[in-house]
Amino acid sequence: MRFMSIFASRSSLRVALLGAALLLGGCGTFSRDNTEPPAPLPDYTRTVLPSTVWNRDTGGGVGRFYVYLVPMRFGDGVYVTDAEGRVTAVNAEDGRQRWSVNLSVPVTGGVGGGDGLVMVGTAKGEIIALDMESGEMLWSRRLSSEVMAISSVSQDRVVARTNDGRVHALHAGTGEPDWLAGRTTPALSLRGVGQPVMVPGRVIVGFDNGRVLSLGLGRGNVLWETALAVPSGRSELERMVDVDGHIVVADGRVYAVAYQGRVAALSLADGRILWERNFSSHRGLAVGGNQVFITDAEGHVWALDRNSGGTLWQQELLRLRGVTAPVVLGDHVVVGDYEGYLHWLSREDGSLVGRLRTDSSGLMSRPIVHEGRLYVLGNGGRLSAVVPEGGRRARWSDSE
């Protein structure tokens, strides 16, 4: 595995994978060395006709930075940010802008929040809370380092993950700190942090040392801790075991995967491993029906049996295309890639059955799903609402 971009922080060096560099730089790099290029755009048999309901420019996107900026759908609104601090709220139904504010700060995490709050995190270590109705700044709080991910609001608390391996719980209404927890950050790790997952009375968090923790939401006490990977190898690159991808909690289980480690189903109650298998992913997974869907470190998309972890199918045609974490939409699994395409895969056998391009600058963050729609934020700042079939562009859409 070849690494192209190294990012320094106060606490560690953070490394972006080759696939991430592709998202920012395209394919021109491959003419200069013998690195395997991404797979060409594959042929497929079309049985799904996805279309855009609306799209809107929401700012500069990720720009030249490697940051995961995920949309937040809450109530009847969608909330997004770009890397330069422009935060925008639009109507989920038709995409019309409600408000847009420019914080003029480098944003590295978000969007998080809920219950009347929209929150983003900055490279300067701040978490900023805005009013969901107006965009007015309500409070800001300086944390220990660069803010990489922000949870939803639960029990009047919000939880942020910072680049130094710490977890900060704040009072959502005021920003006052409630508790602080964390784990030691390795000398070298992948750049990126999964969003802390709120469940009643606790929060589930992945760490760069290959471990998943369940923390009490009231005091930050460790309820359980389970290792999905153990660092091994002679070099720091070989010893990277981050749990950075999307974690799913469903039906009393926690589903999580580590880079150069394992994918596992854990008991939410005590962290006991119900099943596990060797796997490597920094994107994360999705769960639907009796299946677990994962994008691995090489861009292959997998379906595993939810009860045993056994392989149901593997789709290799998107290899090294910077494939996002998967999402489940009806009878299909959807992933994005570095050229800005959304790919529809059959849940039954993994075959490619549909495709739509939403942002030519590429897609890095996974789409979000709500009531049969995908909300997709591209690297260039294009926010799109997409349906599997039968959608139509709103007459005002600022499409190309």
Side-chain angles (χ1 to χ4, degrees):
M1 183 67 67
R2 179 174 179 265
F3 294 84
M4 297 185 63
S5 300
I6 297 178
F7 298 79
S9 73
R10 287 163 47 189
S11 60
S12 66
L13 292 177
R14 317 276 307 180
V15 177
L17 288 171
L18 175 60
L22 286 175
L23 291 168
L24 301 179
C27 299
T29 303
F30 292 102
S31 63
R32 296 194 295 270
D33 56 35
N34 295 321
T35 303
E36 180 184 352
L41 197 64
D43 295 328
Y44 67 101
T45 300
R46 177 179 294 181
T47 61
V48 177
L49 300 173
S51 54
T52 303
V53 179
W54 55 259
N55 56 55
R56 171 168 290 281
D57 179 12
T58 63
V62 301
R64 60 186 179 86
F65 303 101
Y66 182 75
V67 290
Y68 287 98
L69 301 177
V70 182
M72 181 179 72
R73 168 72 196 257
F74 191 89
D76 59 357
V78 181
Y79 305 87
V80 298
T81 184
D82 70 6
E84 295 183 347
R86 178 180 171 184
V87 185
T88 303
V90 304
N91 289 331
E93 179 61 28
D94 59 17
R96 293 184 185 275
Q97 181 174 296
R98 293 179 174 178
W99 52 259
S100 183
V101 297
N102 191 351
L103 302 176
S104 299
V105 293
V107 170
T108 51
V111 174
D115 292 348
L117 299 171
V118 177
M119 302 183 189
V120 298
T122 78
K124 298 179 180 180
E126 290 180 297
I127 182 170
I128 299 173
L130 308 176
D131 180 82
M132 188 172 281
E133 293 299 319
S134 66
E136 177 187 1
M137 183 185 294
L138 299 178
W139 55 260
S140 65
R141 174 68 58 176
R142 179 64 61 87
L143 304 182
S144 57
S145 72
E146 183 180 19
V147 180
M148 303 298 292
I150 303 170
S151 74
S152 59
V153 173
S154 179
Q155 296 179 208
D156 295 324
R157 289 181 174 85
V158 64
V159 175
R161 269 279 274 115
T162 50
N163 195 34
D164 56 2
R166 296 184 179 182
V167 181
H168 303 254
L170 309 176
H171 186 276
T174 64
E176 290 297 318
D178 279 337
W179 50 261
L180 176 66
R183 288 295 180 268
T184 301
T185 300
L188 202 63
S189 61
L190 304 178
R191 180 167 180 85
V193 166
Q195 184 181 37
V197 180
M198 296 291 220
V199 294
R202 64 182 69 193
V203 58
I204 310 299
V205 189
F207 287 91
D208 296 337
N209 62 0
R211 294 178 174 268
V212 177
L213 268 66
S214 174
L215 302 171
L217 197 51
R219 298 185 291 114
N221 53 306
V222 177
L223 301 176
W224 53 257
E225 180 173 354
T226 302
L228 292 187
V230 177
S232 62
R234 290 177 293 182
S235 72
E236 294 293 342
L237 296 179
E238 294 172 327
R239 294 174 61 82
M240 291 193 299
V241 292
D242 306 51
V243 181
D244 283 344
H246 184 63
I247 295 173
V248 173
V249 178
D251 299 330
R253 294 183 174 187
V254 177
Y255 298 89
V257 61
Y259 178 67
Q260 300 186 140
R262 298 174 293 174
V263 59
L266 313 174
S267 167
L268 177 60
D270 57 15
R272 176 171 47 92
I273 295 176
L274 305 176
W275 59 257
E276 62 180 330
R277 58 178 291 179
N278 292 335
F279 217 88
S280 180
S281 173
H282 60 286
R283 295 299 197 190
L285 47 77
V287 173
N290 64 351
Q291 298 166 297
V292 177
F293 305 98
I294 314 178
T295 299
D296 72 16
E298 296 180 326
H300 303 167
V301 183
W302 298 67
L304 308 182
D305 184 273
R306 185 170 174 176
N307 294 313
S308 67
T311 299
L312 301 175
W313 51 257
Q314 180 187 179
Q315 175 55 264
E316 299 181 352
L317 292 178
L318 303 176
R319 178 178 173 82
L320 299 183
R321 291 188 61 86
V323 181
T324 68
V327 294
V328 178
L329 184 62
D331 294 331
H332 303 98
V333 181
V334 184
V335 296
D337 73 12
Y338 81 101
E339 289 189 311
Y341 289 98
L342 290 171
H343 302 270
W344 266 254
L345 287 70
S346 166
R347 284 179 57 176
E348 182 178 356
D349 60 11
S351 59
L352 294 168
V353 295
R355 184 163 66 215
L356 178 71
R357 197 175 200 182
T358 60
D359 189 328
S360 60
S361 296
L363 303 175
M364 188 184 307
S365 61
R366 70 185 189 93
I368 59 174
V369 180
H370 186 79
E371 295 182 349
R373 280 190 183 184
L374 295 172
Y375 297 92
V376 187
L377 180 62
N379 294 340
R382 176 63 54 89
L383 176 66
S384 303
V386 175
V387 292
E389 298 186 55
R392 57 185 179 83
R393 293 184 184 273
R395 58 184 176 82
W396 50 264
S397 290
D398 58 349
S399 57
E400 296 175 337

